[in-house]
Amino acid sequence: MPDLGSLAGLRVQARLLWSTDEDHAAWLPEGVIEVGPDGRIVAVRDSGPADVRLGPAVLTPGFVDGHLHYPQTRIVGAASGPLLDWLRHSTFPEEARFADAGHARAIADAFCAALAAAGTTLAFVYGSVHPTAADILLQTLADRGLRAIAGPVLMDMGAPDALFLPPDRALPALASLADRWQGHDDGRLQVAAIPRFALSCTADLMRGAAELAAPRGLWCSTHLSENTDEVRVAAELHGGPDYLGIYEALGLVHDRSVYAHCIHMSDEEWDRFAAAGAVVAHCPDSNDFLGSGGMPLDPVRARGIPVVLGTDIAAGRSFRVPRIASSAHDNALRQGVRVPPETWLWHATRGGARALGQPDLGALEPGFQADLVLHDLPAWVDSADDALAWLLFHHDAPPPRGTWIRGRRVWDRDAHWRAGGVFPWDAPGPA
Ligand SMILES: [Zn+2]
């Protein structure tokens, strides 16, 4: 069998599954996919000759994780919620450790290994407040061939002093990170402006972040209406007509902004959110684990607001986006909304990528980037419905066998296991 470290120039046979639109998936049980030298898909066929045969395994597009926190890698599972207690007891002490570059480097390595092992090929990553730690993360993402939008969080109040960086230091540091990394490797890496949330940022810092991001075309992201105590404190600190209004007044709500959670919002806020073209990062597992509530689907779907799923590591308990799709399904049913599995695949792949401004990701079609994940799939699974059931809702399914970005392998499960690795993040990834 040829080495699969690079798929360039190979015709690969496997079962193929991907989203064609928001409600439909394509399923080719004898499919053959061909990757070109530039890491893009050049052909997809129903069947035919192949250089390597991987059936009955299934290839899907890589997953999109629209919201997670790199400095929280080691506190996954900390059950100290709800939100404001969890931040105080579990999160801020761990994030303070990222002042130490050695710690930041070790966790960046573990975090990136976990992303690749989860089959995530585009991630929107929050760092700690420390610019050096964010630079280490971006360097690690670059070296491992991963694709991400990432940046440090901005904080200048409402947390331990060790986690403050005032605007006159935080914003120049963000600008120099953008100078170094924005658009790196033909757009594989982007830098984001990330005021953490209204409780940990002065208006000056948030306004400065928006003003820095706009001319550079940087994505902005923050948390919004996750927890009712948070909503109340945000109003006490910043006033405004409502929580969204705080961010609007500072220039942060637009079509390159991603808002995590969005649980406790009025209809009027949803109207303005939709009119601005902003994106929801839906984090249902985190919402459950911190007891934050359920993001209401009706207002989002009625307005056609773009949605990307977010693991929200570490308030979410898994790096695996399909696990989050499963939580999203549960959240929908609790609201009496039945969302077909095809739609969750859409949000987890093609739709999520489109929401994040990357329309050439998330499908197995010519012209798309060859960001692929290979999953074991029992031979008896012989339809799109059964494959979706296995991939999205079967929590005992093993981790992906392989992950490729632009046709280059970034995760090889069997090599990892042969080398004695157990968890994805306990050993270096493939060279
Ligand atoms: Zn978060």
Side-chain angles (χ1 to χ4, degrees), residues 67-69 72 86 126 223 226 260-261 283 286 312-313 315:
H67 181 75
L68 79 169
H69 296 255
Q72 297 173 12
W86 176 80
Y126 284 36
H223 299 90
E226 176 177 0
H261 303 290
C283 306
S286 163
D312 196 19
I313 291 292

Side-chain angles (χ1 to χ4, degrees), residues 217-293:
L218 307 186
W219 280 91
C220 296
S221 186
T222 186
H223 299 90
L224 173 62
S225 294
E226 176 177 0
N227 170 289
T228 49
D229 286 335
E230 172 212 7
V231 174
R232 177 180 50 76
V233 176
E236 288 168 9
L237 290 171
H238 295 280
D242 47 39
Y243 198 164
L244 185 70
I246 297 169
Y247 295 138
E248 283 173 325
L250 300 168
L252 283 165
V253 185
H254 46 68
D255 63 1
R256 283 182 77 77
S257 61
V258 179
Y259 284 86
H261 303 290
C262 302
I263 299 172
H264 308 285
M265 309 241 301
S266 67
D267 281 348
E268 199 199 321
E269 283 178 287
W270 280 120
D271 285 341
R272 285 153 36 215
F273 190 98
V279 177
V280 169
H282 180 28
C283 306
D285 191 61
S286 163
N287 296 343
D288 282 347
F289 190 51
L290 294 186
S292 302

